[in-house]
Amino acid sequence: MPWSTWSMNDWATRGERTADYDLLLDLPAARAAAGGGARAGLERALREAVRDGRLSPGTRLPSSRVLAGDLGLARNTVADAYAQLVAEGWLTARQGSGTTVAPRPAAVPGRAERAPVRRTPVAPVELVPDNATGLPYSLWPGSPDLSSFPRAAWSAAARRALAAAPNEAFGYTDPRGRPELRAALSTYLARVRGVRTDPEHLMICTGYVQGVGLLARALYGRGARRIAVEALGFPDTRTLLRTAGLETVPLDVDGDGARVDRLDGSAQAVLLTPAHQFPTGVPLSPGRRTAVTGWARSTGAVILEDDYDGEFRYDRQPVGALQGLAPGHVVYAGTASKSLAPGLRLAWLALPPHLLDAVVREKRMADHHSPVLDQLTLAEFIGSGAYDRHVRRMRLHYRARRDRLVAALAEHAPHVRVSGIAAGLHAVLELPPETGPLQALVDRAHALGLALSGLPVYGAPTAHAPTSLVIGYATPPDHAFSGALSRLCEVLSPG
């Protein structure tokens, strides 16, 4: 479905920061339902976001100026919509404090009921792609620009979090993770990704790999034996699923994402990257999103949604989380590894109530709970708005890098077709047949000191798929990016 959000213009032309945030709004659908009027559509979209809990009480909304600019509306239209919702009691506005979601005495309709947690206890499996080549330059995908980690802002958040932490935070805590972080994530994921959950059904994991392992073992313990996976994807994930006892069934990937039409009753679960298929970069089409959630409802199967880089989009409207369409059948998996750094070892699962107890038991057996201090810091980082500001800044940074990559290839290797670049941190370079064997090209890059990744690393492409490279343009630090690009162009240049 089409979604609208405001863009990443939190860095003004002189470098100033604003306090505005990302928000996922189904504005086109709301305008259609409201009869096509811009103001009525915005009012309806905001009202629905508050009503269904994606915007929780106290959530601050962007200024009318920023929201108007990012949505392409007149500022008066946004201001009038805000004023109407304030008059209706959905929002509150105070001079100097901005516009926020009003408190509500009643529980949010549609939120999952609190499920009892049985605190009972399989060791985590941590698998890392082998991209440690020792070469001075790397365009290997899967990592952000580590040199851009927000050290000062993170350090300030850590000091505030440590000062405010209750004494009990330093003891053995809930296997699901600290309540401060689960509450902050519940609000953030609803606002930015359209995830429908609450803090009780969120679990903090020591990385995405641990989260997948916990869920896989829980599914196996409940009788699942087969899980469908995209034929192209992170190879370690398939290994991890098999280690948990699950047989992996490949699903072909095309221009509309995974071929979910080929799912049947033989698989009890499916793992998808619907917002930005890894590594092809295509989103799961609206028809297939509807089809796979319908399949899960009719069969009782579970969908694991890997939203590994859903916050980074550039040339298209953001795709809301699949979980929002079927919260009772989708496990949403998110991570700070791409938005911040993999070294934090912070990821999260939004779990349907019927899976919560089983996954909590697995987490307790694995390590009881994830480290506390970074959880508290991330909660403070999100709550203060620093996380939104960092993500928006990095969008601009990665988009500029992507544009440099595309421009360099257009100049030096125009025969190479670039795809999968509307979102995310990597691109797919489709090479013409005359390029020759892919391994020879990778070896030539290695001789120049550049690490490259070919598409076959991530699975078996279809018989007619072109020879392709998967280029992680986020990976190099700033000082190495130009050198990596020049070596790539040298490798790909004709002759």
Side-chain angles (χ1 to χ4, degrees), residues 4 73 100 107 111 132 167 214 221 233 236 258 322 353 381 429 442 444 484:
S4 293
L73 301 175
T100 59
R111 286 240 175 172
N167 291 336
L214 297 175
D236 286 347
L322 189 67
F381 202 65
L429 309 189
V442 171
R444 194 157 67 248

Side-chain angles (χ1 to χ4, degrees), residues 124-211:
V125 181
E126 196 65 29
L127 303 171
V128 181
D130 183 16
N131 60 346
T133 61
L135 298 175
Y137 299 96
S138 175
L139 289 171
W140 198 280
S143 177
D145 175 9
L146 301 179
S147 68
S148 295
F149 182 79
R151 295 172 187 246
W154 185 263
S155 178
R159 289 193 298 271
R160 295 193 300 269
L162 189 60
N167 291 336
E168 54 88 14
F170 302 102
Y172 292 104
T173 190
D174 191 326
R176 293 172 298 174
R178 287 300 304 172
E180 297 92 338
L181 179 53
R182 289 186 283 119
L185 280 171
S186 175
T187 300
Y188 175 81
L189 294 173
R191 171 169 56 84
V192 174
R193 301 298 300 127
V195 173
R196 300 173 188 271
T197 190
D198 58 33
E200 303 302 318
H201 294 87
L202 276 169
M203 170 174 286
I204 309 304
C205 306
T206 313
Y208 166 78
V209 168
Q210 187 192 53

Side-chain angles (χ1 to χ4, degrees), residues 42 46 104 120 164 228 258 299 322 331 343 373 431 451:
L42 181 58
L46 289 170
R104 297 188 305 281
T120 328
T299 63
L322 189 67
V331 175
L373 292 183
L431 311 176

Side-chain angles (χ1 to χ4, degrees), residues 391-410:
V391 168
R392 286 168 156 245
R393 179 171 65 86
M394 295 312 295
R395 279 200 210 113
L396 290 175
H397 178 61
Y398 293 140
R399 179 172 183 165
R401 284 198 171 189
R402 182 209 62 176
D403 291 347
R404 286 179 62 187
L405 169 67
V406 172
L409 292 172

Side-chain angles (χ1 to χ4, degrees), residues 223-285:
R225 294 298 180 265
R226 305 181 89 217
I227 181 170
V229 296
E230 295 163 335
L232 291 168
F234 290 105
D236 286 347
T237 301
R238 294 189 287 271
T239 302
L240 180 59
L241 294 169
R242 295 182 190 122
T243 301
L246 299 177
E247 177 189 354
T248 57
V249 181
L251 286 177
D252 286 341
V253 175
D254 61 19
D256 288 323
R259 292 292 306 273
V260 297
D261 55 308
R262 297 183 178 177
L263 289 168
D264 56 30
S266 66
Q268 292 83 43
V270 60
L271 190 155
L272 300 171
T273 51
H276 188 235
Q277 201 282 325
F278 185 87
T280 66
V282 299
L284 192 66
S285 69

Side-chain angles (χ1 to χ4, degrees), residues 300-381:
V302 173
I303 302 168
L304 172 55
E305 177 179 14
D306 177 5
D307 195 35
Y308 65 101
D309 65 359
E311 291 146 321
F312 295 111
R313 74 280 175 192
Y314 314 117
D315 302 328
R316 70 171 189 222
Q317 296 297 334
V319 179
L322 189 67
Q323 190 267 4
L325 300 179
H329 297 275
V330 180
V331 175
Y332 175 89
T335 177
S337 293
K338 305 298 183 291
S339 57
L340 285 166
L344 293 178
R345 310 312 302 136
L346 285 171
W348 41 88
L349 300 177
L351 295 157
H354 72 278
L355 286 174
L356 181 65
D357 285 0
V359 180
V360 167
R361 284 197 299 272
E362 297 296 336
K363 174 63 175 175
R364 183 164 184 170
M365 290 175 64
D367 58 7
H368 198 293
H369 61 81
S370 298
V372 165
L373 292 183
D374 281 341
Q375 291 188 58
L376 293 173
T377 302
L378 181 56
E380 168 64 26
F381 202 65

Side-chain angles (χ1 to χ4, degrees), residues 31 38-39 42 63-81:
R31 288 187 66 166
R39 173 182 158 181
L42 181 58
S63 65
S64 59
R65 176 184 60 81
V66 168
L67 184 56
D70 289 339
L71 292 181
L73 301 175
R75 185 175 181 180
N76 284 346
T77 299
V78 177
D80 290 347

